[in-house]
Amino acid sequence: MERSAVFGGLQPNYLLYPSRYSTSLPFSDHRTRLPNFSRPPSLSFKLQKQVSSCYSAVSPFKRGATFSETQSETCELADIDWDDLGFAYVPTDYMYSMKCTKGGNFSKGELQRFGNIELSPSAGVLNYGQGLFEGLKAYRKEDGNLLLFRPEENAMRMIMGAERMCMPSPTVEQFVDAVKATVLANKRWVPPPGKGSLYIRPLLMGSGAVLGLAPSPEYTFLIYVSPVGNYFKEGVAPIHLIVEYELHRATPGGTGGVKTIGNYAAVLKAQSAAKARGFSDVLYLDCVQKKYLEEVSSCNIFVVKGNTISTPAIKGTILPGITRKSIIDVARSQGFQVEERLVTVDELLDADEVFCTGTAVVVSPVGSITYKGKRRILESDLLSIR
């Protein structure tokens, strides 16, 4: 099926600044590169290509950028090995910080040199886990322009999470402007086209001192960035998942549907054990019936059967991924039937194709599923779009 995608409902992308940058590296965009297979590429690669084309449909900021940039300015890239980027922390130049008190509103923040922060041992985030984070990326185009993908969605998700965690949150405008300022201040760390992206990590935390169990009296909104390559060591090759049916990521009525810091510590035990056995990551089941798919440790999952793409519905235990939402929009525009519903392990094992989506992983095809000692091979890299 070959159709032109109609990206209805997608927020405009952000052109951070037009600039020339000093590099002789050739352009090879990892977000749109397709594998050189003799058969047609998989659905996951097709959808990744369609979503990545959203980055090209840029529109300038309606509000002025924090830093004035012109076409004639040159950006010297940081002196690191861009061909050896993994998904690991690399210190950069600047971070952004903004504070407010309980019951108040965030005031204008500021950029400061990247470095350690000072927290009371009694800070709410340290004692009671009162904290959220977000994740998004900036990319460098071939012409040097820097792009963001749907940052308002991250801002709105943080607002939703903050309400659940009894915290104030920056407004959408404050969030987006802070992201813009931080990226522009660290623009030399945005990888050349095809070499990776600049990962942006906004944090919202209870930074005030509190001893008894209660919301923190002060909150800090912080953004730092790091250049990154592929999240999985497999790169663009299919990943290998194991289904976890004893340990669980989230429970009904809990905080699985918001991006609170505690959700991720809960998966470390199962994930570490899986990686020690050679798996890429863990797929979790619901904690009640133990037969319905939830999500992978850090990404959403999709199951393809014929012309139908199914993904677990967002019902409080699954994070509403921004890449997930984009893939659903694009797939429907391509004529696929997309179902958000309960999806069983049996359906997973009978699928034509399986793939994961997320800011860090982008769109990753699944090559195998292991469940209760049995492994199902999925030739995701060879399946054709229907």
Side-chain angles (χ1 to χ4, degrees):
M1 180 185 302
E2 295 293 339
R3 299 186 183 183
S4 296
V6 179
F7 301 104
L10 296 187
Q11 295 293 328
N13 300 283
Y14 278 78
L15 174 62
L16 278 183
Y17 76 99
S19 175
R20 292 196 298 271
Y21 59 95
S22 300
T23 178
S24 59
L25 294 170
F27 175 69
S28 176
D29 193 335
H30 79 282
R31 290 169 292 126
T32 60
R33 185 174 60 224
L34 296 180
N36 186 23
F37 296 124
S38 57
R39 303 186 196 177
S42 67
L43 173 58
S44 60
F45 279 113
K46 286 276 191 176
L47 292 177
Q48 180 176 348
K49 182 179 180 182
Q50 293 294 338
V51 169
S52 65
S53 70
C54 293
Y55 289 93
S56 300
V58 298
S59 59
F61 284 122
K62 292 182 174 63
R63 297 180 298 275
T66 305
F67 298 97
S68 175
E69 302 286 343
T70 68
Q71 287 281 7
S72 61
E73 291 185 50
T74 299
C75 173
E76 295 288 343
L77 296 182
D79 185 19
I80 63 174
D81 185 356
W82 298 108
D83 292 315
D84 194 35
L85 279 180
F87 200 91
Y89 162 71
V90 177
T92 54
D93 297 328
Y94 293 93
M95 60 186 185
Y96 187 96
S97 181
M98 182 164 53
K99 295 181 180 290
C100 86
T101 57
K102 180 182 176 182
N105 296 313
F106 279 94
S107 59
K108 184 177 180 180
E110 63 178 2
L111 287 164
Q112 52 192 255
R113 296 295 298 186
F114 181 84
N116 294 337
I117 61 173
E118 184 174 304
L119 278 178
S120 165
S122 192
V125 67
L126 298 180
N127 289 263
Y128 300 116
Q130 193 184 22
L132 296 165
F133 74 91
E134 276 296 327
L136 61 159
K137 290 178 177 178
Y139 292 92
R140 189 185 298 278
K141 290 181 64 183
E142 186 178 12
D143 60 8
N145 290 337
L146 301 184
L147 301 177
L148 294 171
F149 183 65
R150 309 178 76 181
E152 299 102 331
E153 295 283 346
N154 296 90
M156 291 186 287
R157 188 168 66 181
M158 177 168 276
I159 291 171
M160 179 185 71
E163 191 279 330
R164 176 65 177 85
M165 299 297 290
C166 298
M167 297 191 291
S169 179
T171 65
V172 172
E173 183 175 4
Q174 286 175 322
F175 182 101
V176 173
D177 284 348
V179 167
K180 287 163 43 180
T182 310
V183 172
L184 289 171
N186 292 285
K187 59 183 180 291
R188 73 189 188 99
W189 294 97
V190 183
K195 300 297 182 179
S197 59
L198 187 71
Y199 188 83
I200 306 159
R201 173 57 60 84
L203 294 166
L204 179 61
M205 54 188 167
S207 51
V210 57
L211 185 60
L213 179 58
S216 175
E218 180 191 75
Y219 297 87
T220 298
F221 175 66
L222 184 74
I223 302 178
Y224 69 93
V225 297
S226 177
V228 297
N230 290 311
Y231 183 79
F232 291 116
K233 63 180 177 61
E234 291 86 351
V236 296
I239 62 173
H240 305 283
L241 301 179
I242 183 170
V243 179
E244 174 58 56
Y245 49 90
E246 293 295 339
L247 300 177
H248 299 283
R249 175 190 167 275
T251 59
T255 58
V258 298
K259 208 168 175 68
T260 180
I261 57 178
N263 290 348
Y264 294 84
V267 308
L268 295 177
K269 182 178 178 65
Q271 186 190 60
S272 298
K275 290 192 173 185
R277 296 174 58 190
F279 294 101
S280 309
D281 216 328
V282 178
L283 172 59
Y284 295 89
L285 302 179
D286 77 288
C287 68
V288 179
Q289 301 294 329
K290 297 187 178 183
K291 68 176 183 178
Y292 296 111
L293 310 186
E294 294 253 300
E295 62 179 84
V296 182
S297 302
S298 60
C299 48
N300 299 115
I301 191 155
F302 288 79
V303 174
V304 183
K305 188 69 175 178
N307 198 56
T308 302
I309 304 173
S310 302
T311 190
I314 302 297
K315 292 186 175 179
T317 57
I318 298 171
L319 189 72
I322 293 163
T323 309
R324 173 188 181 276
K325 180 179 180 180
S326 303
I327 286 291
I328 290 173
D329 291 342
V330 169
R332 284 174 174 159
S333 77
Q334 289 283 295
F336 288 91
Q337 179 179 339
V338 181
E339 298 178 350
E340 299 178 73
R341 59 176 177 81
L342 294 175
V343 182
T344 66
V345 178
D346 291 340
E347 291 178 89
L348 172 74
L349 298 175
D350 189 47
D352 295 336
E353 184 177 352
V354 179
F355 60 90
C356 298
T357 66
T359 296
V361 307
V362 192
V363 181
S364 294
V366 175
S368 72
I369 300 285
T370 298
Y371 176 57
K372 293 187 175 180
K374 295 183 179 180
R375 189 183 188 199
R376 163 81 200 285
I377 303 296
L378 291 157
E379 294 186 289
S380 299
D381 53 335
L382 297 179
L383 293 175
S384 62
I385 192 168
R386 297 175 184 271

